[in-house]
mmCIF file of all heavy atoms in Angstrom:
data_model
loop_
_atom_site.group_PDB
_atom_site.id
_atom_site.type_symbol
_atom_site.label_atom_id
_atom_site.label_comp_id
_atom_site.label_asym_id
_atom_site.label_seq_id
_atom_site.Cartn_x
_atom_site.Cartn_y
_atom_site.Cartn_z
ATOM 1 N N ILE A 1 5.147 -18.685 -5.865
ATOM 2 C CA ILE A 1 3.863 -18.354 -5.245
ATOM 3 C C ILE A 1 4.075 -17.435 -4.047
ATOM 4 O O ILE A 1 3.343 -16.452 -3.851
ATOM 5 C CB ILE A 1 3.124 -19.637 -4.831
ATOM 6 C CG1 ILE A 1 2.662 -20.407 -6.064
ATOM 7 C CG2 ILE A 1 1.928 -19.318 -3.930
ATOM 8 C CD1 ILE A 1 2.060 -21.763 -5.770
ATOM 9 N N GLN A 2 5.092 -17.730 -3.239
ATOM 10 C CA GLN A 2 5.402 -16.882 -2.087
ATOM 11 C C GLN A 2 5.763 -15.466 -2.526
ATOM 12 O O GLN A 2 5.321 -14.480 -1.923
ATOM 13 C CB GLN A 2 6.546 -17.500 -1.288
ATOM 14 C CG GLN A 2 6.192 -18.822 -0.636
ATOM 15 C CD GLN A 2 7.410 -19.549 -0.099
ATOM 16 O OE1 GLN A 2 8.536 -19.302 -0.526
ATOM 17 N NE2 GLN A 2 7.188 -20.471 0.820
ATOM 18 N N ALA A 3 6.574 -15.373 -3.584
ATOM 19 C CA ALA A 3 6.985 -14.060 -4.078
ATOM 20 C C ALA A 3 5.804 -13.292 -4.655
ATOM 21 O O ALA A 3 5.673 -12.080 -4.457
ATOM 22 C CB ALA A 3 8.084 -14.222 -5.126
ATOM 23 N N LEU A 4 4.933 -13.995 -5.379
ATOM 24 C CA LEU A 4 3.759 -13.345 -5.953
ATOM 25 C C LEU A 4 2.828 -12.825 -4.865
ATOM 26 O O LEU A 4 2.233 -11.750 -5.009
ATOM 27 C CB LEU A 4 3.012 -14.326 -6.866
ATOM 28 C CG LEU A 4 3.624 -14.560 -8.246
ATOM 29 C CD1 LEU A 4 2.920 -15.713 -8.943
ATOM 30 C CD2 LEU A 4 3.546 -13.300 -9.092
ATOM 31 N N TYR A 5 2.695 -13.576 -3.779
ATOM 32 C CA TYR A 5 1.859 -13.113 -2.682
ATOM 33 C C TYR A 5 2.407 -11.812 -2.103
ATOM 34 O O TYR A 5 1.663 -10.844 -1.878
ATOM 35 C CB TYR A 5 1.774 -14.168 -1.576
ATOM 36 C CG TYR A 5 1.100 -13.620 -0.333
ATOM 37 C CD1 TYR A 5 -0.276 -13.445 -0.304
ATOM 38 C CD2 TYR A 5 1.844 -13.239 0.780
ATOM 39 C CE1 TYR A 5 -0.894 -12.904 0.805
ATOM 40 C CE2 TYR A 5 1.227 -12.701 1.891
ATOM 41 C CZ TYR A 5 -0.141 -12.530 1.908
ATOM 42 O OH TYR A 5 -0.743 -11.982 2.992
ATOM 43 N N PHE A 6 3.710 -11.776 -1.868
ATOM 44 C CA PHE A 6 4.340 -10.580 -1.294
ATOM 45 C C PHE A 6 4.136 -9.372 -2.203
ATOM 46 O O PHE A 6 3.760 -8.287 -1.747
ATOM 47 C CB PHE A 6 5.829 -10.843 -1.081
ATOM 48 C CG PHE A 6 6.564 -9.723 -0.408
ATOM 49 C CD1 PHE A 6 6.552 -9.604 0.977
ATOM 50 C CD2 PHE A 6 7.290 -8.801 -1.145
ATOM 51 C CE1 PHE A 6 7.234 -8.572 1.608
ATOM 52 C CE2 PHE A 6 7.973 -7.764 -0.532
ATOM 53 C CZ PHE A 6 7.952 -7.648 0.856
ATOM 54 N N SER A 7 4.377 -9.562 -3.506
ATOM 55 C CA SER A 7 4.261 -8.428 -4.420
ATOM 56 C C SER A 7 2.807 -8.003 -4.609
ATOM 57 O O SER A 7 2.508 -6.807 -4.674
ATOM 58 C CB SER A 7 4.888 -8.769 -5.779
ATOM 59 O OG SER A 7 4.211 -9.837 -6.399
ATOM 60 N N ALA A 8 1.887 -8.970 -4.678
ATOM 61 C CA ALA A 8 0.474 -8.630 -4.836
ATOM 62 C C ALA A 8 -0.052 -7.906 -3.609
ATOM 63 O O ALA A 8 -0.863 -6.974 -3.716
ATOM 64 C CB ALA A 8 -0.341 -9.900 -5.084
ATOM 65 N N HIS A 9 0.411 -8.307 -2.442
ATOM 66 C CA HIS A 9 0.016 -7.656 -1.190
ATOM 67 C C HIS A 9 0.362 -6.173 -1.234
ATOM 68 O O HIS A 9 -0.472 -5.307 -0.944
ATOM 69 C CB HIS A 9 0.721 -8.346 -0.028
ATOM 70 C CG HIS A 9 0.576 -7.640 1.292
ATOM 71 N ND1 HIS A 9 -0.521 -7.815 2.104
ATOM 72 C CD2 HIS A 9 1.389 -6.758 1.933
ATOM 73 C CE1 HIS A 9 -0.378 -7.066 3.186
ATOM 74 N NE2 HIS A 9 0.771 -6.420 3.109
ATOM 75 N N HIS A 10 1.571 -5.852 -1.618
ATOM 76 C CA HIS A 10 2.002 -4.453 -1.622
ATOM 77 C C HIS A 10 1.419 -3.678 -2.793
ATOM 78 O O HIS A 10 1.213 -2.465 -2.691
ATOM 79 C CB HIS A 10 3.529 -4.381 -1.609
ATOM 80 C CG HIS A 10 4.111 -4.773 -0.285
ATOM 81 N ND1 HIS A 10 4.155 -3.916 0.791
ATOM 82 C CD2 HIS A 10 4.629 -5.943 0.163
ATOM 83 C CE1 HIS A 10 4.698 -4.522 1.826
ATOM 84 N NE2 HIS A 10 4.986 -5.760 1.469
ATOM 85 N N ALA A 11 1.126 -4.361 -3.891
ATOM 86 C CA ALA A 11 0.437 -3.694 -4.994
ATOM 87 C C ALA A 11 -0.956 -3.263 -4.564
ATOM 88 O O ALA A 11 -1.427 -2.173 -4.917
ATOM 89 C CB ALA A 11 0.355 -4.630 -6.203
ATOM 90 N N MET A 12 -1.612 -4.109 -3.765
ATOM 91 C CA MET A 12 -2.930 -3.760 -3.254
ATOM 92 C C MET A 12 -2.857 -2.613 -2.251
ATOM 93 O O MET A 12 -3.741 -1.755 -2.207
ATOM 94 C CB MET A 12 -3.582 -4.982 -2.606
ATOM 95 C CG MET A 12 -4.098 -6.002 -3.609
ATOM 96 S SD MET A 12 -5.395 -5.341 -4.680
ATOM 97 C CE MET A 12 -6.686 -5.034 -3.483
ATOM 98 N N LEU A 13 -1.798 -2.569 -1.455
ATOM 99 C CA LEU A 13 -1.623 -1.448 -0.530
ATOM 100 C C LEU A 13 -1.484 -0.136 -1.301
ATOM 101 O O LEU A 13 -2.058 0.892 -0.921
ATOM 102 C CB LEU A 13 -0.383 -1.667 0.348
ATOM 103 C CG LEU A 13 -0.465 -2.782 1.389
ATOM 104 C CD1 LEU A 13 0.840 -2.866 2.172
ATOM 105 C CD2 LEU A 13 -1.629 -2.567 2.342
ATOM 106 N N ASP A 14 -0.726 -0.175 -2.397
ATOM 107 C CA ASP A 14 -0.591 1.018 -3.235
ATOM 108 C C ASP A 14 -1.933 1.439 -3.817
ATOM 109 O O ASP A 14 -2.259 2.629 -3.882
ATOM 110 C CB ASP A 14 0.403 0.752 -4.375
ATOM 111 C CG ASP A 14 1.845 0.804 -3.905
ATOM 112 O OD1 ASP A 14 2.131 1.468 -2.891
ATOM 113 O OD2 ASP A 14 2.695 0.165 -4.557
ATOM 114 N N GLU A 15 -2.709 0.445 -4.260
ATOM 115 C CA GLU A 15 -4.003 0.748 -4.845
ATOM 116 C C GLU A 15 -4.954 1.315 -3.799
ATOM 117 O O GLU A 15 -5.727 2.259 -4.077
ATOM 118 C CB GLU A 15 -4.604 -0.523 -5.460
ATOM 119 C CG GLU A 15 -5.958 -0.347 -6.136
ATOM 120 C CD GLU A 15 -5.907 0.574 -7.340
ATOM 121 O OE1 GLU A 15 -4.794 0.874 -7.832
ATOM 122 O OE2 GLU A 15 -6.986 1.001 -7.794
ATOM 123 N N GLU A 16 -4.902 0.783 -2.575
ATOM 124 C CA GLU A 16 -5.744 1.315 -1.504
ATOM 125 C C GLU A 16 -5.380 2.756 -1.182
ATOM 126 O O GLU A 16 -6.252 3.597 -0.947
ATOM 127 C CB GLU A 16 -5.602 0.445 -0.252
ATOM 128 C CG GLU A 16 -6.360 -0.860 -0.327
ATOM 129 C CD GLU A 16 -6.365 -1.582 1.008
ATOM 130 O OE1 GLU A 16 -5.537 -1.241 1.880
ATOM 131 O OE2 GLU A 16 -7.187 -2.483 1.175
ATOM 132 N N GLU A 17 -4.076 3.066 -1.176
ATOM 133 C CA GLU A 17 -3.644 4.434 -0.928
ATOM 134 C C GLU A 17 -4.142 5.372 -2.027
ATOM 135 O O GLU A 17 -4.571 6.497 -1.750
ATOM 136 C CB GLU A 17 -2.115 4.500 -0.848
ATOM 137 C CG GLU A 17 -1.543 3.892 0.419
ATOM 138 C CD GLU A 17 -0.031 4.044 0.488
ATOM 139 O OE1 GLU A 17 0.543 4.675 -0.423
ATOM 140 O OE2 GLU A 17 0.566 3.529 1.445
ATOM 141 N N ARG A 18 -4.082 4.905 -3.281
ATOM 142 C CA ARG A 18 -4.536 5.726 -4.396
ATOM 143 C C ARG A 18 -6.031 6.017 -4.288
ATOM 144 O O ARG A 18 -6.473 7.162 -4.463
ATOM 145 C CB ARG A 18 -4.245 5.015 -5.720
ATOM 146 C CG ARG A 18 -4.566 5.847 -6.959
ATOM 147 C CD ARG A 18 -4.478 5.012 -8.216
ATOM 148 N NE ARG A 18 -5.495 3.979 -8.254
ATOM 149 C CZ ARG A 18 -6.761 4.189 -8.589
ATOM 150 N NH1 ARG A 18 -7.181 5.404 -8.903
ATOM 151 N NH2 ARG A 18 -7.626 3.199 -8.599
ATOM 152 N N ILE A 19 -6.818 4.984 -3.968
ATOM 153 C CA ILE A 19 -8.266 5.163 -3.831
ATOM 154 C C ILE A 19 -8.580 6.108 -2.678
ATOM 155 O O ILE A 19 -9.461 6.972 -2.781
ATOM 156 C CB ILE A 19 -8.944 3.798 -3.613
ATOM 157 C CG1 ILE A 19 -8.821 2.935 -4.884
ATOM 158 C CG2 ILE A 19 -10.414 3.970 -3.237
ATOM 159 C CD1 ILE A 19 -9.318 1.517 -4.716
ATOM 160 N N GLN A 20 -7.846 5.975 -1.576
ATOM 161 C CA GLN A 20 -8.073 6.841 -0.420
ATOM 162 C C GLN A 20 -7.768 8.302 -0.753
ATOM 163 O O GLN A 20 -8.502 9.208 -0.347
ATOM 164 C CB GLN A 20 -7.221 6.386 0.759
ATOM 165 C CG GLN A 20 -7.539 7.122 2.055
ATOM 166 C CD GLN A 20 -6.800 6.538 3.241
ATOM 167 O OE1 GLN A 20 -5.915 5.721 3.083
ATOM 168 N NE2 GLN A 20 -7.179 6.967 4.433
ATOM 169 N N ARG A 21 -6.709 8.528 -1.539
ATOM 170 C CA ARG A 21 -6.382 9.895 -1.930
ATOM 171 C C ARG A 21 -7.480 10.488 -2.804
ATOM 172 O O ARG A 21 -7.850 11.657 -2.671
ATOM 173 C CB ARG A 21 -5.043 9.925 -2.679
ATOM 174 C CG ARG A 21 -3.821 9.776 -1.790
ATOM 175 C CD ARG A 21 -2.552 10.160 -2.544
ATOM 176 N NE ARG A 21 -2.350 9.346 -3.728
ATOM 177 C CZ ARG A 21 -1.676 8.203 -3.731
ATOM 178 N NH1 ARG A 21 -1.139 7.741 -2.606
ATOM 179 N NH2 ARG A 21 -1.529 7.515 -4.847
ATOM 180 N N GLU A 22 -8.020 9.650 -3.707
ATOM 181 C CA GLU A 22 -9.091 10.135 -4.578
ATOM 182 C C GLU A 22 -10.329 10.472 -3.768
ATOM 183 O O GLU A 22 -10.991 11.480 -4.026
ATOM 184 C CB GLU A 22 -9.419 9.075 -5.627
ATOM 185 C CG GLU A 22 -8.353 8.914 -6.703
ATOM 186 C CD GLU A 22 -8.735 7.886 -7.740
ATOM 187 O OE1 GLU A 22 -9.772 7.210 -7.541
ATOM 188 O OE2 GLU A 22 -8.010 7.751 -8.746
ATOM 189 N N GLU A 23 -10.659 9.627 -2.781
ATOM 190 C CA GLU A 23 -11.834 9.883 -1.946
ATOM 191 C C GLU A 23 -11.663 11.139 -1.105
ATOM 192 O O GLU A 23 -12.637 11.841 -0.807
ATOM 193 C CB GLU A 23 -12.102 8.681 -1.042
ATOM 194 C CG GLU A 23 -12.586 7.444 -1.802
ATOM 195 C CD GLU A 23 -12.765 6.242 -0.896
ATOM 196 O OE1 GLU A 23 -12.292 6.307 0.267
ATOM 197 O OE2 GLU A 23 -13.359 5.237 -1.341
ATOM 198 N N ASN A 24 -10.426 11.426 -0.721
ATOM 199 C CA ASN A 24 -10.154 12.627 0.087
ATOM 200 C C ASN A 24 -9.946 13.866 -0.767
ATOM 201 O O ASN A 24 -9.676 14.948 -0.242
ATOM 202 C CB ASN A 24 -8.915 12.402 0.954
ATOM 203 C CG ASN A 24 -9.140 11.327 2.004
ATOM 204 O OD1 ASN A 24 -10.273 11.048 2.398
ATOM 205 N ND2 ASN A 24 -8.051 10.717 2.464
ATOM 206 N N GLY A 25 -10.028 13.674 -2.099
ATOM 207 C CA GLY A 25 -9.862 14.807 -2.991
ATOM 208 C C GLY A 25 -8.431 15.285 -3.113
ATOM 209 O O GLY A 25 -8.186 16.430 -3.535
ATOM 210 N N GLU A 26 -7.467 14.418 -2.766
ATOM 211 C CA GLU A 26 -6.067 14.806 -2.859
ATOM 212 C C GLU A 26 -5.560 14.605 -4.278
ATOM 213 O O GLU A 26 -6.060 13.773 -5.023
ATOM 214 C CB GLU A 26 -5.219 13.967 -1.891
ATOM 215 C CG GLU A 26 -5.631 14.130 -0.439
ATOM 216 C CD GLU A 26 -4.865 13.199 0.479
ATOM 217 O OE1 GLU A 26 -3.935 12.541 -0.016
ATOM 218 O OE2 GLU A 26 -5.219 13.118 1.668
ATOM 219 N N GLU A 27 -4.538 15.357 -4.659
ATOM 220 C CA GLU A 27 -3.938 15.208 -5.976
ATOM 221 C C GLU A 27 -3.142 13.915 -6.039
ATOM 222 O O GLU A 27 -2.650 13.411 -5.039
ATOM 223 C CB GLU A 27 -3.014 16.393 -6.290
ATOM 224 C CG GLU A 27 -3.751 17.708 -6.427
ATOM 225 C CD GLU A 27 -2.814 18.835 -6.825
ATOM 226 O OE1 GLU A 27 -1.612 18.549 -7.048
ATOM 227 O OE2 GLU A 27 -3.269 19.976 -6.915
ATOM 228 N N GLU A 28 -3.021 13.388 -7.244
ATOM 229 C CA GLU A 28 -2.258 12.153 -7.456
ATOM 230 C C GLU A 28 -0.779 12.478 -7.367
ATOM 231 O O GLU A 28 -0.156 12.937 -8.317
ATOM 232 C CB GLU A 28 -2.582 11.566 -8.839
ATOM 233 C CG GLU A 28 -1.921 10.230 -9.116
ATOM 234 C CD GLU A 28 -2.476 9.108 -8.267
ATOM 235 O OE1 GLU A 28 -3.600 9.244 -7.744
ATOM 236 O OE2 GLU A 28 -1.789 8.088 -8.116
ATOM 237 N N ASN A 29 -0.220 12.274 -6.176
ATOM 238 C CA ASN A 29 1.192 12.579 -5.951
ATOM 239 C C ASN A 29 1.782 11.487 -5.077
ATOM 240 O O ASN A 29 1.770 11.574 -3.852
ATOM 241 C CB ASN A 29 1.344 13.944 -5.280
ATOM 242 C CG ASN A 29 2.800 14.332 -5.074
ATOM 243 O OD1 ASN A 29 3.704 13.641 -5.549
ATOM 244 N ND2 ASN A 29 3.015 15.429 -4.366
ATOM 245 N N VAL A 30 2.275 10.455 -5.719
ATOM 246 C CA VAL A 30 2.767 9.305 -4.962
ATOM 247 C C VAL A 30 3.987 9.654 -4.138
ATOM 248 O O VAL A 30 4.292 9.013 -3.140
ATOM 249 C CB VAL A 30 3.098 8.124 -5.902
ATOM 250 C CG1 VAL A 30 1.850 7.623 -6.577
ATOM 251 C CG2 VAL A 30 4.158 8.508 -6.939
ATOM 252 N N GLU A 31 4.734 10.706 -4.538
ATOM 253 C CA GLU A 31 5.914 11.085 -3.773
ATOM 254 C C GLU A 31 5.538 11.592 -2.392
ATOM 255 O O GLU A 31 6.353 11.598 -1.479
ATOM 256 C CB GLU A 31 6.701 12.167 -4.532
ATOM 257 C CG GLU A 31 7.240 11.712 -5.881
ATOM 258 C CD GLU A 31 8.235 10.573 -5.742
ATOM 259 O OE1 GLU A 31 8.894 10.470 -4.697
ATOM 260 O OE2 GLU A 31 8.351 9.779 -6.699
ATOM 261 N N ALA A 32 4.258 12.030 -2.256
ATOM 262 C CA ALA A 32 3.824 12.562 -0.968
ATOM 263 C C ALA A 32 3.278 11.491 -0.050
ATOM 264 O O ALA A 32 2.810 11.777 1.040
ATOM 265 C CB ALA A 32 2.747 13.633 -1.196
ATOM 266 N N SER A 33 3.330 10.234 -0.482
ATOM 267 C CA SER A 33 2.832 9.138 0.347
ATOM 268 C C SER A 33 3.626 9.061 1.646
ATOM 269 O O SER A 33 4.814 9.356 1.690
ATOM 270 C CB SER A 33 2.959 7.809 -0.407
ATOM 271 O OG SER A 33 2.192 7.846 -1.584
ATOM 272 N N VAL A 34 2.947 8.635 2.708
ATOM 273 C CA VAL A 34 3.623 8.473 3.988
ATOM 274 C C VAL A 34 4.603 7.318 3.890
ATOM 275 O O VAL A 34 4.216 6.212 3.481
ATOM 276 C CB VAL A 34 2.601 8.203 5.108
ATOM 277 C CG1 VAL A 34 3.315 7.958 6.427
ATOM 278 C CG2 VAL A 34 1.625 9.350 5.213
ATOM 279 N N PRO A 35 5.875 7.510 4.240
ATOM 280 C CA PRO A 35 6.862 6.431 4.137
ATOM 281 C C PRO A 35 6.474 5.247 5.016
ATOM 282 O O PRO A 35 5.849 5.405 6.064
ATOM 283 C CB PRO A 35 8.164 7.085 4.622
ATOM 284 C CG PRO A 35 7.942 8.556 4.444
ATOM 285 C CD PRO A 35 6.482 8.772 4.693
ATOM 286 N N LEU A 36 6.856 4.076 4.586
ATOM 287 C CA LEU A 36 6.575 2.879 5.360
ATOM 288 C C LEU A 36 7.460 2.806 6.581
ATOM 289 O O LEU A 36 8.621 3.201 6.547
ATOM 290 C CB LEU A 36 6.802 1.639 4.501
ATOM 291 C CG LEU A 36 5.831 1.410 3.338
ATOM 292 C CD1 LEU A 36 6.324 0.244 2.499
ATOM 293 C CD2 LEU A 36 4.436 1.147 3.842
ATOM 294 N N ASP A 37 6.919 2.293 7.668
ATOM 295 C CA ASP A 37 7.698 2.047 8.877
ATOM 296 C C ASP A 37 7.972 0.553 8.948
ATOM 297 O O ASP A 37 7.071 -0.232 9.235
ATOM 298 C CB ASP A 37 6.907 2.503 10.113
ATOM 299 C CG ASP A 37 7.674 2.248 11.410
ATOM 300 O OD1 ASP A 37 8.817 1.730 11.328
ATOM 301 O OD2 ASP A 37 7.141 2.562 12.483
ATOM 302 N N PRO A 38 9.200 0.118 8.680
ATOM 303 C CA PRO A 38 9.475 -1.323 8.640
ATOM 304 C C PRO A 38 9.242 -2.017 9.966
ATOM 305 O O PRO A 38 8.976 -3.215 10.006
ATOM 306 C CB PRO A 38 10.951 -1.389 8.236
ATOM 307 C CG PRO A 38 11.509 -0.055 8.580
ATOM 308 C CD PRO A 38 10.391 0.915 8.396
ATOM 309 N N ASP A 39 9.317 -1.299 11.088
ATOM 310 C CA ASP A 39 9.103 -1.917 12.391
ATOM 311 C C ASP A 39 7.633 -2.246 12.628
ATOM 312 O O ASP A 39 7.300 -3.054 13.494
ATOM 313 C CB ASP A 39 9.597 -0.997 13.506
ATOM 314 C CG ASP A 39 11.109 -0.831 13.470
ATOM 315 O OD1 ASP A 39 11.790 -1.782 13.050
ATOM 316 O OD2 ASP A 39 11.602 0.255 13.840
ATOM 317 N N ASN A 40 6.746 -1.591 11.865
ATOM 318 C CA ASN A 40 5.321 -1.836 12.042
ATOM 319 C C ASN A 40 4.673 -2.420 10.791
ATOM 320 O O ASN A 40 3.469 -2.412 10.647
ATOM 321 C CB ASN A 40 4.603 -0.524 12.404
ATOM 322 C CG ASN A 40 5.065 0.018 13.741
ATOM 323 O OD1 ASN A 40 5.191 -0.727 14.708
ATOM 324 N ND2 ASN A 40 5.339 1.313 13.802
ATOM 325 N N LEU A 41 5.498 -2.909 9.904
ATOM 326 C CA LEU A 41 4.994 -3.438 8.645
ATOM 327 C C LEU A 41 4.926 -4.945 8.726
ATOM 328 O O LEU A 41 5.938 -5.616 8.805
ATOM 329 C CB LEU A 41 5.913 -3.012 7.497
ATOM 330 C CG LEU A 41 5.469 -3.388 6.082
ATOM 331 C CD1 LEU A 41 4.130 -2.765 5.756
ATOM 332 C CD2 LEU A 41 6.515 -2.955 5.062
ATOM 333 N N ASP A 42 3.732 -5.482 8.719
ATOM 334 C CA ASP A 42 3.534 -6.928 8.805
ATOM 335 C C ASP A 42 2.902 -7.419 7.517
ATOM 336 O O ASP A 42 1.774 -7.077 7.188
ATOM 337 C CB ASP A 42 2.622 -7.268 9.992
ATOM 338 C CG ASP A 42 2.515 -8.773 10.232
ATOM 339 O OD1 ASP A 42 3.091 -9.529 9.429
ATOM 340 O OD2 ASP A 42 1.860 -9.159 11.212
ATOM 341 N N ASP A 43 3.629 -8.222 6.796
ATOM 342 C CA ASP A 43 3.152 -8.702 5.509
ATOM 343 C C ASP A 43 1.945 -9.628 5.646
ATOM 344 O O ASP A 43 1.244 -9.873 4.678
ATOM 345 C CB ASP A 43 4.301 -9.444 4.798
ATOM 346 C CG ASP A 43 3.911 -9.867 3.396
ATOM 347 O OD1 ASP A 43 3.358 -9.030 2.675
ATOM 348 O OD2 ASP A 43 4.172 -11.029 3.051
ATOM 349 N N LYS A 44 1.685 -10.136 6.861
ATOM 350 C CA LYS A 44 0.571 -11.065 7.032
ATOM 351 C C LYS A 44 -0.762 -10.332 7.150
ATOM 352 O O LYS A 44 -1.818 -10.931 7.020
ATOM 353 C CB LYS A 44 0.801 -11.932 8.281
ATOM 354 C CG LYS A 44 2.013 -12.853 8.149
ATOM 355 C CD LYS A 44 2.198 -13.672 9.413
ATOM 356 C CE LYS A 44 3.431 -14.575 9.309
ATOM 357 N NZ LYS A 44 3.660 -15.349 10.537
ATOM 358 N N ASP A 45 -0.720 -9.041 7.452
ATOM 359 C CA ASP A 45 -1.938 -8.272 7.633
ATOM 360 C C ASP A 45 -2.089 -7.312 6.465
ATOM 361 O O ASP A 45 -1.502 -6.253 6.447
ATOM 362 C CB ASP A 45 -1.891 -7.478 8.944
ATOM 363 C CG ASP A 45 -1.738 -8.394 10.141
ATOM 364 O OD1 ASP A 45 -2.306 -9.487 10.092
ATOM 365 O OD2 ASP A 45 -1.049 -8.010 11.095
ATOM 366 N N GLY A 46 -2.862 -7.660 5.478
ATOM 367 C CA GLY A 46 -2.997 -6.814 4.302
ATOM 368 C C GLY A 46 -4.306 -7.070 3.609
ATOM 369 O O GLY A 46 -5.154 -7.838 4.054
ATOM 370 N N ALA A 47 -4.462 -6.395 2.477
ATOM 371 C CA ALA A 47 -5.718 -6.450 1.749
ATOM 372 C C ALA A 47 -5.853 -7.729 0.933
ATOM 373 O O ALA A 47 -6.937 -8.085 0.489
ATOM 374 C CB ALA A 47 -5.829 -5.232 0.836
ATOM 375 N N VAL A 48 -4.754 -8.407 0.692
ATOM 376 C CA VAL A 48 -4.810 -9.605 -0.145
ATOM 377 C C VAL A 48 -4.949 -10.847 0.722
ATOM 378 O O VAL A 48 -4.196 -11.048 1.654
ATOM 379 C CB VAL A 48 -3.535 -9.726 -1.000
ATOM 380 C CG1 VAL A 48 -3.594 -10.984 -1.860
ATOM 381 C CG2 VAL A 48 -3.381 -8.501 -1.885
#
């Protein structure tokens, strides 16, 4: 359950980024995503 929460959290972050790119009219290019900053990445604060 703990592992599923972690993976679902980040899957939702990916989906939010994809939706935001579509709303901004950007091309679907996941390689251009802003890299994560591990020092500011808190798994407790997310969309899930």
